[in-house]
Amino acid sequence: MDLRFSQLDYIKPELGAEFTGEGVHFAVFSAHAEQMDLCIFSDDGAEEVARLPLPKREGDIWSGYIAGLKPGTLYGYRAHGPYEPANGHRFNPNKLLLDPYAKQVFGELIWDDVLYGYGVGSPEEDLSFDERDSAPFMVKGVVQDTSFDWDGDQTIRRNWTDTIIYEAHVRGLTMQHPKVPEKLRGTFLGMCSEPIVDHLVKLGITAVEVLPIHYFPDDRYLTEKGLRNYWGYQSLGFFAPQPRYLAEARILEFKTMVKRFHAAGIEVIMDVVYNHTAEGSERGPTLSFRGLDNLSYYRLSPDDPRHSYDTTGTGNTLNVSNPMVTRMVLDSLRYWVGVMHVDGFRFDLASTLGRTRHVEFDRDGAFFHAIRQDPVLAGVKLIAEPWDVGDGGYQVGGFPFPFREWNDKYRDDVRSFWKGDEGMAPRLAERLSASSRQFNHSDRGATASINFLSAHDGFTLADTVSYRDKHNEANGEENRDGHSNNHSDNMGAEGETDDAGIVDARMHRRLNMMATLLLSQGVPMILAGDEIGNSQAGNNNAYCQDNDISWIDWDGHEDDFLALCRKLVALRKAHPCLSPERFSNGVEGPNHIEWYGSDGTAMDQAAWDDPQRRALGVYVVARDVDADPPDVTDRLFMIFNAGGEVEFTLPSSEEGTVWHRLLDTRESEKFLDAPAEEKIVVHAESIVVFEGRGE
């Protein structure tokens, strides 16, 4: 083929490598480059068969069109420009660069000093200049034809009030499932295989939140220790799926997964990492953004642009205050919605995305405005991890609509309540009522809080009741990594035990915690495997453990606990008073919540101030305010008792109603619909739920 640029008859505004049907249009952003070379490679990626300077530059976008070029072509870029680290510039045309807009990545990154723009080990390392060619060690982009027969499939757009999220890892969920075909384990096709989908549907899950699937390499220091970047929070390609999750190296496998989940009524939410990249600090490799335009793509120290400005703890911070970097992030989000049909995103370290040019967090920042005004993105699910490691980075409750937020206060307070810590009754009340203190402002709804007991980062639910201390020795950091304050309790033995009493006590506490999650207002999120008692042997930072530590142990499947979890999800779905759209808004409003002591009277301040209080009664009501007169459509009374056995007087309900017991977590038959007496005995460490019905 004659590899040379020709003229397009029309303007093509897209960035990346776009197949037109008759050729490929290439476009890449760099404000400070002096020349941009497109490199074409042989089918095996071993030989650079052409190096062509992009012929057109307009508005800092370099572009060119090659007629006759087909999907499947391997390519990369080389950027010419100043190598002036003191001024923030690190151009080095000897380093092959991955297109930030590449839709697929070919090959494996082979770690070698040649991947660095400077001479590793030389004096003042990152100020030196390395002239070796990195192409033999680099991954390449793959030109794609992104068409796919969606057969009418669209994003689901389920109401937040009806949402139950399941956080899962592609490999972790499937690698050890005995009914997933072996060749599909660890892949998107394995994740959407019939056994997995059937499990999620029976559990009652409405949305799967998938840990990062954007292309990411394994960190060099991990590969040198024989470990792997398992979680994937080191993105390098924001448009390309991780190759190791593809069974046959076809991006349509991701689309197939989404389509199958949608057919089962399950939304797909992607965990995305737009706050930093895999290139690390100024001493990191030159793989893409650093070589294309370090000064534009990254935040640099205002005092010394030689150095990165890091609010993420990873060495660098993506500069979303630059409009073209913001465009890249928005283009990526729109691509995954419009082309790949995902239903939403969870933003890792999202406080970084809200930092202004002067690096303070601003809930009215340009990035949030850009998303709110985007007609594609404003309607999908958006979830913030509301913190980073920079000054003022902890922002739980501080994000604007339409963002929902991970609520770590929920996790910590629910764990502490059931552990028996003093003074937790008021905090539990906050968590049961959608954490109104954090989120009931700026006209935010009661679904702003994403409630969770455990997530990929930290103890699993089973480990929360089995370990007092973290056990991260396998990570190779002498157990120094990971959180030390886990609000956990081993309940009498550290780790696995044959003591039947301890095993039983742990199961009951897990049940109480899972029931609390599904009886709380807000949006519940379940960590994959918690419903079957999965353990990571006390490792609370398994980011590098692509092995039995992190993979769900389906052979240890707890059928009894799973059956209880299914019933808890069904109970939640049957009672709209547990998932109101708005916060409690008065006795005459559409939803209302009240708090009671064991004597059947409303809690007063003295009761709230009692640090020894372990039992709390909760009365929740849903009301049809449009009826004449307004009509109560759903009412529950729930007792949460983390202490010893206590007699509880049920509050008097409206005339003509009777309380029926629906759940008692300490009874042998936990879900039993039966009329209740006015006074009942509440077992130690238990939850009891009653429904008020007209007779």
Side-chain angles (χ1 to χ4, degrees):
M1 178 183 292
D2 185 11
L3 292 175
R4 59 181 176 178
F5 291 111
S6 56
Q7 187 71 34
L8 262 181
D9 295 333
Y10 53 91
I11 295 174
K12 195 160 183 60
E14 295 89 354
L15 290 167
E18 296 291 330
F19 177 59
T20 66
E22 298 178 347
V24 180
H25 180 265
F26 296 89
V28 63
F29 160 74
S30 178
H32 300 97
E34 296 168 353
Q35 177 181 315
M36 189 69 65
D37 294 343
L38 170 69
C39 303
I40 304 296
F41 288 84
S42 58
D43 290 345
D44 61 1
E47 180 184 358
E48 183 177 328
V49 298
R51 186 181 301 188
L52 307 169
L54 289 173
K56 183 177 181 181
R57 178 178 183 176
E58 186 174 13
D60 298 330
I61 294 177
W62 303 75
S63 64
Y65 173 72
I66 300 179
L69 207 61
K70 301 294 185 182
T73 300
L74 306 185
Y75 73 102
Y77 291 112
R78 299 180 188 271
H80 300 256
Y83 191 82
E84 301 171 356
N87 295 320
H89 298 306
R90 294 183 177 273
F91 292 98
N92 187 337
N94 301 295
K95 308 306 170 183
L96 185 72
L97 307 174
L98 181 67
D99 179 7
Y101 280 70
K103 304 301 191 299
Q104 185 173 354
V105 171
F106 173 85
E108 289 282 342
L109 191 74
I110 302 171
W111 281 110
D112 189 275
D113 289 349
V114 74
L115 291 170
Y116 296 74
Y118 60 90
V120 176
S122 61
E124 294 192 273
E125 285 189 330
D126 71 291
L127 297 181
S128 63
F129 186 82
D130 187 90
E131 297 183 353
R132 293 173 294 174
D133 182 9
S134 69
F137 303 88
M138 262 298 290
V139 295
K140 283 81 180 177
V142 186
V143 175
Q144 289 293 305
D145 179 354
T146 58
S147 59
F148 180 74
D149 181 12
W150 283 104
D151 192 26
D153 177 90
Q154 296 293 332
T155 53
I156 292 178
R157 307 290 175 94
R158 178 175 283 103
N159 288 333
W160 278 106
T161 53
D162 301 326
T163 298
I164 298 174
I165 299 172
Y166 189 82
E167 191 201 29
H169 188 285
V170 174
R171 287 176 64 80
L173 188 63
T174 62
M175 284 299 292
Q176 297 191 113
H177 198 296
K179 294 183 180 179
V180 173
E182 190 167 349
K183 67 178 181 179
L184 299 183
R185 294 176 188 174
T187 70
F188 298 125
L189 295 181
M191 193 164 183
C192 67
S193 62
E194 185 176 351
I196 299 297
V197 174
D198 183 63
H199 174 77
L200 297 178
V201 169
K202 288 180 179 177
L203 182 56
I205 297 302
T206 70
V208 172
E209 184 176 304
V210 188
L211 264 70
I213 60 87
H214 285 160
Y215 167 65
F216 59 88
D218 290 315
D219 308 77
R220 186 174 190 175
Y221 79 96
L222 290 178
T223 61
E224 290 174 350
K225 293 193 296 184
L227 299 171
R228 206 173 189 187
N229 181 354
Y230 174 66
W231 285 350
Y233 290 95
Q234 287 284 56
S235 298
L236 191 64
F238 296 126
F239 294 76
Q242 176 64 11
R244 72 181 61 154
Y245 301 153
L246 300 172
E248 298 179 2
R250 302 173 302 165
I251 66 170
L252 64 82
E253 295 171 34
F254 181 88
K255 299 179 181 182
T256 299
M257 179 189 74
V258 173
K259 186 175 179 179
R260 288 181 183 173
F261 275 134
H262 283 179
I266 297 173
E267 295 180 296
V268 177
I269 298 172
M270 285 176 53
D271 194 335
V272 288
V273 188
Y274 296 116
N275 58 81
H276 73 277
T277 78
E279 289 184 302
S281 72
E282 67 276 0
R283 296 171 68 88
T286 296
L287 307 174
S288 180
F289 309 96
R290 175 164 290 125
L292 286 169
D293 193 344
N294 186 60
L295 190 60
S296 293
Y297 280 103
Y298 291 122
R299 291 189 183 275
L300 304 179
S301 169
D303 301 320
D304 185 358
R306 170 186 174 184
H307 300 290
S308 300
Y309 188 93
D310 181 15
T311 62
T312 66
T314 65
N316 68 51
T317 302
L318 206 64
N319 183 21
V320 292
S321 65
N322 182 297
M324 290 302 294
V325 178
T326 296
R327 173 183 169 177
M328 177 185 69
V329 174
L330 294 177
D331 283 348
S332 171
L333 293 169
R334 283 189 289 259
Y335 173 78
W336 289 99
V337 174
V339 177
M340 304 299 237
H341 283 208
V342 303
D343 303 276
F345 305 94
R346 179 263 190 191
F347 294 84
D348 178 66
L349 299 182
S351 292
T352 291
L353 301 176
R355 291 186 180 274
T356 65
R357 188 178 298 273
H358 303 291
V359 307
E360 295 89 356
F361 177 81
D362 182 3
R363 70 189 308 269
D364 292 320
F367 179 77
F368 300 139
H369 281 308
I371 283 186
R372 284 201 298 269
Q373 69 186 11
D374 189 288
V376 174
L377 302 178
V380 302
K381 286 182 164 62
L382 303 173
I383 302 171
E385 182 184 38
W387 50 77
D388 63 19
V389 302
D391 291 339
Y394 188 75
Q395 292 290 332
V396 173
F399 279 72
F401 175 86
F403 282 87
R404 272 63 179 176
E405 301 175 35
W406 269 28
N407 186 356
D408 63 332
K409 293 178 183 292
Y410 183 96
R411 174 198 63 201
D412 295 348
D413 287 348
V414 171
R415 288 184 180 186
S416 295
F417 176 81
W418 288 110
K419 187 159 66 79
D421 290 354
E422 291 187 352
M424 294 307 301
R427 294 190 184 185
L428 180 70
E430 269 290 305
R431 307 311 156 213
L432 292 170
S433 56
S435 297
S436 58
R437 184 171 299 179
Q438 276 72 47
F439 297 103
N440 190 9
H441 62 83
S442 307
D443 202 34
R444 300 188 75 179
T447 60
S449 174
I450 304 296
N451 302 329
F452 62 99
L453 303 167
S454 50
H456 67 275
D457 185 2
F459 278 150
T460 68
L461 181 59
D463 287 353
T464 299
V465 300
S466 303
Y467 294 90
R468 182 172 291 126
D469 303 309
K470 63 184 181 181
H471 294 271
N472 299 350
E473 290 81 5
N475 296 354
E477 300 179 43
E478 298 180 349
N479 206 31
R480 293 189 301 266
D481 61 305
H483 298 292
S484 295
N485 185 21
N486 295 286
H487 306 277
S488 62
D489 180 11
N490 65 24
M491 303 185 72
E494 188 74 355
E496 292 187 14
T497 180
D498 294 328
D499 187 306
I502 294 176
V503 171
D504 183 65
R506 288 175 176 175
M507 191 284 292
H508 279 290
R509 184 166 295 178
R510 282 191 289 131
L511 177 59
N512 285 333
M513 294 172 72
M514 186 67 78
T516 303
L517 176 67
L518 292 163
L519 295 171
S520 297
Q521 297 180 350
V523 179
M525 184 184 81
I526 298 170
L527 173 64
D530 276 355
E531 75 279 13
I532 60 170
N534 187 62
S535 169
Q536 293 182 170
N539 192 319
N540 73 351
N541 189 34
Y543 74 102
C544 56
Q545 300 296 333
D546 190 2
N547 51 46
D548 290 356
I549 291 175
S550 293
W551 300 341
I552 293 175
D553 179 14
W554 291 97
D555 288 337
H557 197 287
E558 292 182 348
D559 289 333
D560 291 344
F561 192 73
L562 174 60
L564 294 172
C565 290
R566 289 172 174 170
K567 290 180 179 179
L568 287 170
V569 172
L571 176 63
R572 178 182 183 85
K573 290 183 175 182
H575 291 280
C577 63
L578 296 173
S579 52
E581 187 171 330
R582 309 299 301 172
F583 286 97
S584 177
N585 44 18
V587 294
E588 300 302 323
N591 53 283
H592 180 54
I593 189 165
E594 297 177 8
W595 311 97
Y596 286 84
S598 59
D599 61 357
T601 63
M603 295 270 286
D604 58 19
Q605 192 59 49
W608 286 118
D609 292 341
D610 180 4
Q612 301 303 320
R613 179 168 294 278
R614 299 287 193 274
L616 181 66
V618 189
Y619 179 47
V620 288
V621 173
R623 182 180 288 106
D624 180 2
V625 295
D626 294 326
D628 188 18
D631 181 37
V632 172
T633 57
D634 188 31
R635 63 166 67 86
L636 295 177
F637 186 74
M638 304 178 287
I639 302 170
F640 297 81
N641 179 26
E645 183 178 286
V646 60
E647 184 178 74
F648 222 101
T649 300
L650 300 183
S652 57
S653 185
E654 284 85 348
E655 185 176 351
T657 62
V658 175
W659 291 114
H660 284 247
R661 196 204 90 180
L662 301 181
L663 169 68
D664 188 331
T665 61
R666 274 290 176 177
E667 289 289 343
S668 57
E669 192 169 353
K670 296 172 178 22
F671 292 86
L672 178 64
D673 191 332
E677 302 293 333
E678 180 184 0
K679 291 188 176 183
I680 62 162
V681 174
V682 178
H683 299 296
E685 296 191 38
S686 68
I687 297 174
V688 192
V689 178
F690 303 91
E691 179 183 31
R693 300 176 188 164
E695 295 292 322

